[in-house]
């Protein structure tokens, strides 16, 4: 019953050049293979009266009681025990990007929606290259223009980054749907806790330059509600602002809410044991983060407060719930399979 | 070899997708454009925002549209670029008018725009009637100063009050123009004098030492010389200030309404003037203080002070901003008045664990607004948003510091009653 304990959230390191759907399917296939390879329960035994030739001779058949395994439990009849697993994906990554990719299994999928509603920031390392402009803002696109870049200094770049941060800070306050005239808004602004708790355009909460070696540079970007293509466009616009041009060479997510690169499992560790361990390690952190945001969300008069009520159920021991529901789920699975065969 | 065979077998022009080598070669052959050289300098610009019908913004198309599709714009609620021929080094906003000054040796050094009903912008000859002057100047127009050596003197600073203005030069003293009903221009009060269309620009030279800073209050003027502090007010003669300020080396003076603040080199604050709004309530109960009093605040060494109509702000050496007085002070809607300075948390000015070096570098006051400049070149404003003067893009009052989006690094800002002018350097 290893599938019963498989419920929760874990992070996987998605390599570049692969679509996120394929990563999800690869993890699912790997888990299914391991779950099905585990030794199955022993087949049921039944007492049957089998006809055997009588010891007397010629044609007479007598019934002998024998304890035989039920054919219905034979693996070739039943097929693999697990055919599908409910694995949900968190914030997606496009083909060219790499990094932390959160997946949820079983009842952990419900936590995925709640983590989405927490609106936590994600951190990316974005690599850029000055001197080129392409149509899709990455270094593999069609070249549009080449420019000089020897006039760019680290100081100019940091000035542009400061401005980007400033305007996005303003956007953070504007899209948070709080009335600026209240004392509450002032107190939240002082603590820096104002965040848009609903839909908003991509907002960059912090940006800084990690490395600068002309023509390459690397930025660390903390953002909300973004897409990777938006980050590439941001690199392009930084190039334009510096009176040159830039393309993005690498987008790597190093943190997604509470999951960091250290928690993300590389491809060699996409197996049942590592995933179970990862779920256990991250569970506490996910629960505390959800509770913290839930408590904060109740006090705040935000427009999406209606969705917070359901959070009260979660954040409790995920194990208990999963154990309760899992037996019912496997029974349903058995019934389903029997019906299919019948 | 297989590729070669493929090409031989297919007839016609095969649709072969370009390999990476031709693409790379095309890329290397592409021309390289240069938009900025290594010695490209940052450009200096002026941005204005606020109420435009008085002409104080200096953009005539807002008041009298010059194209059919343009509509008159009463309020410019976000920063708008004002094109100037010279680099503007000093700007000042009065009550409905603006003065811009450049540190150049050319003949035209000062430009003025806005209300000119009291000749606070000098005499602007009207084109329709050569004997009369303009009452509203919609564009930055040169102010003819009667300089003895116009190609050598430099204008250091300008300052504007309610209906008068002061121009400080480096070698020819101070020039004053505008309303003189309280003697604020430094000459004798003439009864029933008509100020509109007046050619008179008074020159003040008799100071015991060189004037370093001029400040205009609502209807009075302050001069800070290298030796002491003098003022004009109903006396029409420079009078040295006594009281607690006598003998103290003052590094900065500020005034905009009826209250005045001075900062000494040791970081002490002195105040005098109107105290109806608790500006000086920490030392006295009276509402009018004639003699400068030392304000014993324990907030650290003060670097700069800014005095508004009802509220005051000071900036300490560590980069913290303290406010007191009456009105929207910047700590939320609950803080309306206080006699003791309260600190505005630095996180509101962009300070965070990510940027621990951000601090406020300058603080300025309008009549009921405050402006703060950080060392990163960001401008924060708060206060009453009278006719869009805050520049936030909204018409509501702002109860805590709010960033103004300016396309450049803000070097200096001048606040008026219902408009603001900022001097900005471009990023690259």
């Amino acid at each position: 019953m290893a599938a019963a304990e498989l419920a929760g959230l874990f992070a996987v390191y998605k390599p570049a050049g692969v679509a996120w759907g394929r990563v999800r399917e690869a993890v699912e296939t790997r888990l299914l293979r391991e779950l099905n390879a585990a030794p199955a329960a022993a087949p049921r035994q039944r007492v049957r009266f089998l006809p055997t030739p009588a010891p007397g001779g010629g044609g007479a058949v007598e019934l002998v009681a024998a304890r035989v395994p039920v054919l219905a439990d034979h693996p070739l009849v039943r097929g693999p025990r697990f055919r599908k697993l409910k694995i949900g994906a968190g914030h997606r990554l496009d083909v060219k990007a790499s990094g932390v990719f959160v997946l949820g299994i079983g009842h952990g999928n419900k936590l995925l929606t709640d983590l989405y509603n927490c609106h936590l920031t994600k951190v990316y390392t974005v690599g850029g290259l000055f001197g080129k402009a392409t149509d899709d803002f990455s270094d593999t696109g069609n070249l549009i223009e080449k420019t000089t870049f020897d006039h760019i200094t680290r100081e100019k770049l940091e000035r542009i980054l400061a401005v980007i941060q400033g305007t996005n800070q303003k956007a953070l306050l504007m899209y948070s749907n709080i009335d600026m005239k209240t004392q509450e808004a002032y107190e939240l602004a002082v603590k820096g806790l104002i965040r848009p708790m609903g839909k908003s355009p991509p907002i960059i909460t912090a940006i800084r330059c990690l490395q600068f070696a002309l023509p390459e540079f690397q930025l660390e970007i903390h953002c909300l509600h973004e897409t990777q293509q938006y980050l590439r466009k941001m690199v392009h616009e930084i190039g334009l602002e510096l009176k040159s041009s830039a393309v993005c060479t690498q987008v790597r997510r190093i943190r997604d809410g509470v999951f960091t690169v250290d928690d993300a499992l590389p491809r060699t560790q996409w197996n049942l044991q590592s995933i179970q361990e990862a779920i256990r390690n991250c569970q506490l952190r996910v629960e505390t983060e959800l509770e913290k945001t839930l408590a904060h969300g109740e006090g705040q008069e935000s427009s999406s407060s209606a969705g917070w009520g359901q959070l009260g159920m979660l954040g409790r021991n995920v194990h208990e719930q999963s154990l309760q529901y899992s037996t019912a789920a496997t029974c349903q699975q058995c019934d389903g399979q029997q019906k299919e065969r019948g | 070899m297989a590729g070669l065979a493929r090409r031989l077998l297919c007839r016609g022009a095969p649709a072969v997708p370009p390999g990476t080598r031709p693409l790379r070669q095309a890329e290397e052959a592409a021309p390289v454009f240069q938009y900025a050289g290594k010695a490209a300098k940052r450009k200096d610009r002026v941005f204005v925002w606020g109420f435009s019908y008085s002409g104080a913004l200096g953009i005539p198309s807002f008041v009298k549209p010059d194209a059919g599709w343009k509509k008159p714009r009463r309020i410019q609620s976000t920063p708008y670029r004002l094109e100037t021929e010279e680099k503007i080094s000093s700007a000042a906003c009065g009550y409905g008018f603006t003065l811009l000054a450049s540190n150049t040796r050319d003949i035209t050094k000062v430009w003025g725009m806005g209300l000119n009903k009291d000749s606070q912008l000098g005499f602007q000859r009207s084109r329709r009637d050569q004997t009369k002057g303009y009452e509203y100047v919609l564009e930055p127009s040169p102010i003819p100063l009667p300089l003895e050596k116009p190609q050598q003197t430099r204008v250091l600073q300008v300052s504007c009050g309610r209906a008068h203005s002061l121009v400080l030069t480096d070698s020819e003293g101070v020039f004053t123009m505008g309303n003189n009903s309280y003697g604020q221009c430094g000459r004798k009060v003439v009864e029933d004098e008509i100020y509109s269309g007046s050619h008179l620009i008074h020159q003040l030279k008799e100071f015991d030492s060189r004037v370093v800073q001029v400040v205009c209050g609502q209807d009075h003027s302050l001069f800070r010389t290298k030796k002491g502090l003098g003022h004009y007010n109903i006396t029409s003669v420079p009078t040295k200030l006594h009281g607690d300020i006598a003998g103290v080396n003052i590094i900065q003076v500020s005034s905009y309404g009826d209250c005045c603040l001075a900062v000494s080199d040791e970081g002490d604050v002195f105040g005098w003037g109107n105290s109806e709004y608790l500006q000086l309530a920490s030392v006295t109960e009276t509402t009018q203080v004639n003699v400068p009093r030392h304000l014993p605040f324990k907030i650290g060494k003060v670097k700069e002070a800014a005095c508004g109509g009802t509220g005051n702000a000071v900036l300490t050496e560590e980069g913290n901003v303290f406010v007191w007085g009456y009105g929207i002070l910047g700590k939320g809607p609950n803080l309306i008045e206080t006699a003791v300075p309260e600190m505005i948390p630095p996180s509101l000015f962009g300070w965070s664990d990510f940027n621990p070096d951000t601090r406020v570098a300058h603080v300025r006051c309008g009549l009921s607004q405050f402006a703060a400049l950080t060392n990163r070149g960001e401008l924060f404003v708060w206060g009453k948003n009278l006719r869009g003067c805050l520049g936030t893009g909204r018409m509501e009052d702002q109860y805590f510091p709010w960033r103004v989006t300016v396309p450049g690094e803000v070097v200096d800002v001048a606040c008026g009653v219902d408009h603001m002018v900022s001097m900005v350097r471009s990023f690259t």
Side-chain angles (χ1 to χ4, degrees), chain B residues 346-413:
Chain B
S347 57
L348 288 173
F349 293 114
W351 182 93
S352 70
D353 299 323
F354 227 69
N355 314 310
D357 300 326
T358 313
R359 54 173 57 87
V360 178
H362 297 286
V363 63
R364 304 260 182 270
C365 258
L367 199 61
S368 45
Q369 314 90 17
F370 297 84
L373 291 175
T374 62
N375 58 355
R376 281 161 158 246
E378 291 178 322
L379 173 63
F380 288 84
V381 291
W382 65 100
K384 266 203 104 46
N385 196 3
L386 195 56
R387 298 186 277 272
C389 62
L390 288 185
T392 53
R394 306 198 317 252
M395 302 303 295
E396 298 142 14
D397 301 334
Q398 184 57 34
Y399 291 91
F400 57 91
W402 186 263
R403 222 182 231 98
V404 176
T405 322
V406 182
E409 196 183 303
V410 183
V411 172
D412 203 4
V413 69

Side-chain angles (χ1 to χ4, degrees), chain B residues 3 36 54 120 127 137 195 214 227 277 312 326 379 390 415:
Chain B
S54 61
Q120 53 263 60
R127 266 197 248 157
V137 179
Y195 299 106
V214 288
K227 273 207 205 148
Y277 303 101
N312 300 338
Y326 173 82
L379 173 63
L390 288 185
C415 306

Side-chain angles (χ1 to χ4, degrees), chain B residues 87-101:
Chain B
K87 176 188 173 233
I88 302 294
S89 59
S90 164
C93 292
Y95 288 37
F97 66 103
T98 321
L99 277 186
L100 304 172

Side-chain angles (χ1 to χ4, degrees), chain A residues 132 143 145-148 150-151 159 162-163 165-167 169-170 173 181-183 186 190 222 241 243, chain B residues 27 32-38 42 331-334 345 347-348 355 376 400 402-403 405 409 427-428:
Chain A
K132 255 181 19 167
L143 179 73
E145 195 179 66
K146 279 194 349 188
T147 56
T148 60
D150 48 2
H151 61 278
R159 220 180 291 144
V163 165
Q165 207 167 329
T167 43
Q169 198 80 12
K170 208 168 130 175
L173 296 177
K181 292 194 177 166
T182 55
Q183 183 69 16
Y186 163 72
V190 171
H222 297 234
E241 196 63 46
K243 297 210 176 88
Chain B
E27 210 177 280
V32 178
F33 291 87
Q34 184 184 49
Y35 291 104
K38 263 198 150 156
R42 293 165 72 180
K331 289 194 71 158
N334 287 359
S347 57
L348 288 173
N355 314 310
R376 281 161 158 246
F400 57 91
W402 186 263
R403 222 182 231 98
T405 322
E409 196 183 303
F427 292 125
T428 44

Side-chain angles (χ1 to χ4, degrees), chain A residues 204-216:
Chain A
I204 294 182
T205 54
I207 183 169
R208 67 174 169 183
C209 180
L210 293 176
Q211 282 170 33
F212 183 82
L214 280 179
E216 290 166 5

Side-chain angles (χ1 to χ4, degrees), chain A residues 71-82:
Chain A
L71 267 182
D73 288 342
H74 196 275
L76 287 175
V77 171
R78 294 200 102 179
R81 244 175 6 124
F82 301 103

Side-chain angles (χ1 to χ4, degrees), chain A residues 244-267:
Chain A
S244 177
S245 50
V247 290
C248 176
T249 48
Q250 179 207 42
V251 174
R252 182 172 179 247
R253 188 192 279 158
I254 55 177
R255 194 192 165 96
D256 184 347
V258 286
F259 297 94
T260 60
V261 178
D262 304 321
D263 307 320
L265 300 170
R267 200 157 60 95

